[in-house]
Amino acid sequence: MPAAPGPVLRVCQASPLSVLVKNGLSEGTTVHWHGIRLPNAMDGVPGLTQPPIAPGATFEYTFTPPEAGTFWYHSHADSAEQLGRGLAGALIVEESNPPEVDRELIWAIQDWRLTENGQVAPGFLKTMEEAMSGRVGNTVTINGRTPESVPVRAGERVRLRLLNAAPARIMALRFEGHRPVVVALDGQPCEPHEPAGGRIILGPAMRADVIVDMQGDPGTRHDVIDDFYDKLSYTLVTLGYDAAPPSRAHPASMVRLPRNPVPRPDMVSAEQHVIRLQGGIMGGTSGSGAIWSMNGASMTGDGGDAMKPLLRVERGRTCVLDLRNETTWWHPMHLHGHSFQVISRDEAAVPHDEWGDTVLVRPREKVRVAFVAENPGDWMFHCHVMGHQEAGLMTIIRIV
Ligand code: C2O
Ligand code: CU
Ligand code: CU
């Protein structure tokens, strides 16, 4: 089996965290703290916020997570390969008053392309693939393993923290015989709701906190199915009930997570920016040699500070990004150092007070997100399909 994800890091909301990273690879690396509103110098982007950590060298990351929620960390150098080889882990920031549940589970879900003898297959950037869906693998693991079943007990309430840590695979999870309720997306609380069609859709880098009341009968088994891709539906895992009688007669009332201190956008004074996502197979190219671009410009590879920022925003302003996907592919678009409110999709208001740091944009879709630019620095904005990022779907938003 491939290497498991890194350890789960747990910290209390608003308490300082320090992580010493030692690079044991034979190439440079950095660690990015995805979704955390932290000082720019701790953001872990090679060539932009720090030089890469050389092989054998160390770097200490210190920051204080202002928000509680399900976050994660991952390498941000040679991303297609380093993430393709699994350099990622969950970062849990705990509420001071967590909602009452019987149990908490974290599923860090990764997707691997394995050879017949179980090695991670080489070839992390193949032009044809990067111009399409990216490197979707053939083996999906939960916390580094392919567990057949997860033991559960009738009547119990579980808080399940889902993390899609795959380099390219999009997931749509259905819990047969269950009605999970989404209470947070990308770490940010939302109005508790059952997902549309019972499917929890997670693009790469996205997280969901769901409350699952185990309402199956003792002794039964229920599949958790990922059927995002038409012909690639598979059973991710099975919930296996033990024989014990239900621990409660009816599910408890729904919990709501306490709000985080993210600043609310001021839509009246907001500045608007149209960002066109372009390229890919059947999308036309910008002529730069890159496969993908935003408003005609492409930043490739690991990025860096050589490219002019796409936007320059004054600190404190509310910024609306009007994302227009002109391609025929899905793109999980991620902004570093901020959380945004997801305002509308194809002009229709998005319900449930949905926030995120990554928003999955469908082919040809228009999505508007808004955030307060309160964190100064140069922040990456890119597609989290690693092959798309490295092939041009990446830029910088500068907050001054
Ligand atoms: Cu998960 Cu550039 O980020
Ligand atoms: Cu990030
Ligand atoms: Cu993409």
Side-chain angles (χ1 to χ4, degrees), residues 25 29-30 86 120 202 230 391:
L25 309 176
T29 195
T30 56
V120 176
L202 293 174
D230 282 347

Side-chain angles (χ1 to χ4, degrees), residues 32 34-35 334 336:
H32 169 59
H34 182 120
H334 168 53
H336 283 212

